[in-house]
Amino acid sequence: MTEAPQLPGDPADARPPRLGLSRNVYLLGAVSFFTDVASEMIYPLLPVFLRSTLGASAGFIGAIEGAAESTASLLKLASGWWSDRVSRRKPLVVFGYGIASVVRPLVALAQTASHVLVVRVADRIGKGIRTSPRDAMIADSVPASARGRAFGFHRGADHAGAVFGPLIAFGLVQLFDVPLRTVFLLAAIPGAIALAIALLGLREPAVARGPQAGGTRPEFDPRMGGRFWAYLGAVLLFTLGNSTDAFLLLRASDLGVPTAMLPILWAYLHVVKSVSSMPGGALSDRIGRKPTLLAGWALFAIVYAGFAAADAAWHVWALFAAYGLFFGLTEGAERALVADIVPATKRGTAFGWFHLAVGLGALPASVLFGFVWDGFGAPAAFVMGAALAALAALALMIVVPGRRAIAVGE
């Protein structure tokens, strides 16, 4: 079996593949775990807090989330490009986690919905600053043959935090009758732990050192290779069929899942994501990124077709399990493929473009899905999502070479 492609000049590639992952990968997994615990202690309760306590309308709640995520998407490109330009990842990673850890609990002090808007945008600014440099740091810190496993481990830790956060919040509110504002303040504890790990534990990867050439702004850089831009096009096409998961919860409710069980269903999804992420990433190391991604995107199409045909509540639980496996197969492999097909000095920028494509595709995807749902019914909307995923898989087959054919930087 052939090795995954390796980047020339990358110190990580000089080491033989190891069973274990690097210190940075383990620590970034811990940072993401505690960050998601903090975030998910707040996020599921935020809509209720905005409407019942602050009197916000549904439209304003949607505007808050739209503004927050759009800001994050744009900053992911800028921060990734800057980390390449200055050849340092850690300062941006720490700064991004620091902003989020400090501002997130300030939701507890909000007196108006506009205050929450400011906090959420600041929180997402932190996410936008850290995400691309963090992904580049993960790629910098492991051999090419372990990238899928490294990204899978990180995504698994992130999803584990998304399981524990809501459960902690649920326990505080339901079992101990803790006020929502107090729960929001308590989210500062895991946030502070995440920031301390990032600040004190992370080490700048050697591959990111040294002056790098760069322009004055991010741009379509031919040195990343035509295959990278073609791959990004396939990702964008897939994203257009991958609408917000809120529609899955709405479909679950329509099919008979009780409202009280929806948080449990959401936690169940994240359990499957967490458990399957590292095996899925490791599979891409063994058999290649392309077949792993094709399997994941095909599974997504099957799941969406299943949601179109489902007519009982138990179908939802089976489909959510399969949907979690889709994430396990794709999240690590997608990121590892980005690192595989661009030069080491362009990784931050490449991850920025990757996250921007996903972020920009998410809004029209959800708007289109909702339009089709309203006009033609839920089954039609899910069939459309399945069809777009199938088209994206076909594009992936054409534009992404097999493992033997990949040559970094071409």
Side-chain angles (χ1 to χ4, degrees):
M1 182 170 56
T2 59
E3 294 288 342
Q6 298 187 351
L7 298 179
D10 187 339
D13 293 331
R15 300 189 300 267
R18 299 178 296 177
L19 292 178
L21 300 172
S22 73
R23 170 192 174 93
N24 275 351
V25 173
Y26 288 122
L27 290 178
L28 284 170
V31 170
S32 286
F33 171 80
F34 285 108
T35 297
D36 250 44
V37 169
S39 179
E40 297 297 332
M41 284 177 64
I42 295 174
Y43 185 75
L45 301 173
L46 196 56
V48 175
F49 176 73
L50 281 162
R51 173 168 285 185
S52 62
T53 303
L54 302 182
S57 66
F60 193 82
I61 293 172
I64 288 175
E65 292 307 308
E69 294 303 327
S70 296
T71 301
S73 295
L74 293 172
L75 282 173
K76 287 172 185 176
L77 173 58
S79 64
W81 167 79
W82 185 254
S83 76
D84 287 338
R85 183 173 172 80
V86 300
S87 303
R88 289 180 64 81
R89 318 287 193 202
K90 180 177 175 178
L92 289 167
V93 172
V94 172
F95 185 54
Y97 279 112
I99 291 176
S101 296
V102 169
V103 304
R104 189 185 297 115
L106 297 181
V107 172
L109 307 179
Q111 299 301 312
T112 68
S114 296
H115 294 164
V116 177
L117 171 62
V118 172
V119 172
R120 281 292 292 164
V121 169
D123 182 0
R124 297 297 89 176
I125 285 174
K127 182 175 183 178
I129 289 172
R130 72 182 183 250
T131 298
S132 296
R134 180 203 64 206
D135 285 352
M137 179 178 276
I138 292 173
D140 291 345
S141 300
V142 294
S145 57
R147 282 183 194 139
R149 184 152 40 97
F151 281 110
F153 172 83
H154 177 263
R155 299 307 302 155
D158 187 89
H159 292 312
V163 174
F164 282 93
L167 294 179
I168 292 171
F170 176 83
L172 290 172
V173 172
Q174 295 294 324
L175 301 181
F176 299 101
D177 200 26
V178 176
L180 293 185
R181 292 184 185 273
T182 304
V183 174
F184 298 160
L185 284 174
L186 290 174
I189 297 174
I193 294 172
L195 178 58
I197 295 172
L199 180 62
L200 302 176
L202 294 178
R203 296 172 180 171
E204 194 72 54
V207 72
R209 297 185 185 278
Q212 304 291 345
T216 58
R217 65 186 185 278
E219 57 188 10
F220 289 95
D221 191 335
R223 286 173 294 179
M224 291 185 191
R227 287 169 179 164
F228 169 74
W229 298 112
Y231 168 55
L232 214 60
V235 169
L236 180 59
L237 177 60
F238 177 81
T239 303
L240 290 174
N242 187 5
S243 60
T244 172
D245 289 343
F247 288 119
L248 300 185
L249 294 172
L250 182 60
R251 181 66 170 156
S253 179
D254 290 346
L255 291 171
V257 176
T259 301
M261 290 299 293
L262 292 179
I264 304 301
L265 180 65
W266 189 245
Y268 163 72
L269 172 64
H270 281 284
V271 168
V272 178
K273 287 182 182 181
S274 181
V275 171
S276 63
S277 287
M278 189 168 177
L283 181 66
S284 78
D285 290 333
R286 294 186 60 189
I287 69 173
R289 318 295 182 208
K290 183 175 179 177
T292 306
L293 279 177
L294 286 173
W297 288 7
L299 180 59
F300 177 94
I302 293 170
V303 168
Y304 261 49
F307 273 109
D311 58 7
W314 72 266
H315 295 165
V316 172
W317 294 89
L319 289 168
F320 263 72
Y323 189 55
L325 290 176
F326 147 73
F327 281 96
L329 286 169
T330 58
E331 286 190 317
E334 284 175 346
R335 289 162 173 79
L337 182 55
V338 171
D340 286 348
I341 59 179
V342 299
T345 56
K346 294 293 180 181
R347 281 178 186 157
T349 307
F351 279 115
W353 281 112
F354 170 80
H355 289 298
L356 179 63
V358 172
L360 292 182
L363 179 59
S366 296
V367 171
L368 177 61
F369 194 96
F371 175 80
V372 175
W373 182 309
D374 290 337
F376 303 96
F382 281 103
V383 167
M384 177 193 69
L388 286 171
L391 287 174
L394 179 62
L396 187 75
M397 291 179 64
I398 297 171
V399 304
V400 175
R403 174 182 299 200
R404 294 178 183 272
I406 291 179
V408 176
E410 287 190 354

